[in-house]
Amino acid sequence: MELGREEMQGRVERERVVRLATVDERGRAHLVPVIFAVDGDVFYSPTDKKARPPKRLRNLDLDDRVTVLVDFYHEDWAKAWWVRLRGTGRVIDDSPERTHAIGLLDGKYSQFAGDAYAEDGGPMLAVDIKDWTGWAYSGRVLDTPERRSWIPWRRSR
């Protein structure tokens, strides 16, 4: 079943890690897991400060298209779903928008340490979301305890 916008946003906001894809210089998908926060139609993900910017940021110089995939697989397929965000990426250096994004991430991840990142972290990757697409096998949503307790390699025999 297709998911409505509010349902997609709720599912995305509850997740802790997603996969972010950019396009490299050879036209190949460059896919990495990232932490993130979403504010309306803007997706934010921090990067580390390095001598050379991370590949996902360098890719934006050649092609600003970005796709983010948020998904959940469960052996009970009635619980499976995915949401895909497509948009254009940009790099945010020191600015009020970066400060805002740091606050969102700090509120979501207790280990993020926003003050330290504000001073010593790298640029922020922002994606201006143009398209939200989502699908779920059913309208059933997992609560956090059930979802987090499922470990596929610990099946009872």
Side-chain angles (χ1 to χ4, degrees):
M1 69 181 264
E2 284 187 40
L3 297 175
R5 174 67 184 266
E6 285 184 27
E7 180 65 24
M8 286 187 281
Q9 284 179 296
R11 289 177 189 238
V12 168
E13 288 171 4
R14 285 189 292 274
E15 291 306 305
R16 307 290 290 163
V17 66
V18 300
R19 283 86 184 145
L20 181 137
T22 55
V23 181
D24 75 9
E25 67 282 353
R26 293 174 59 191
R28 299 174 304 186
H30 176 77
L31 187 67
V32 292
V34 297
I35 63 169
F36 71 99
V38 176
D39 187 13
D41 281 325
V42 183
F43 172 97
Y44 294 105
S45 184
T47 66
D48 295 331
K49 184 184 278 185
K50 298 178 180 179
R52 186 174 184 198
K55 179 75 170 155
R56 62 189 172 273
L57 297 185
R58 295 192 318 266
N59 286 343
L60 297 178
D61 290 338
L62 304 170
D63 191 327
D64 64 359
R65 292 178 295 167
V66 177
T67 298
V68 175
L69 181 64
V70 186
D71 67 302
F72 179 69
Y73 175 80
H74 196 283
E75 294 298 322
D76 176 356
W77 289 357
K79 299 174 184 175
W81 60 269
W82 59 264
V83 173
R84 182 181 55 228
L85 311 174
R86 287 185 175 153
T88 54
R90 55 193 168 84
V91 178
I92 303 171
D93 289 309
D94 290 331
S95 68
E97 186 179 17
R98 182 175 180 269
T99 302
H100 173 69
I102 290 169
L104 294 172
L105 288 155
D106 204 30
K108 183 172 182 175
Y109 301 94
S110 61
Q111 65 273 45
F112 185 66
D115 291 339
Y117 183 83
E119 189 170 319
D120 298 323
M124 189 73 61
L125 170 61
V127 179
D128 297 313
I129 304 166
K130 307 291 186 213
D131 179 46
W132 291 74
T133 305
W135 174 90
Y137 188 90
S138 74
R140 196 166 157 196
V141 179
L142 290 178
D143 62 4
T144 303
E146 181 182 357
R147 174 170 178 154
R148 302 298 175 222
S149 67
W150 178 75
I151 302 173
W153 56 88
R154 289 192 185 165
R155 288 188 175 166
S156 44
R157 299 184 189 239

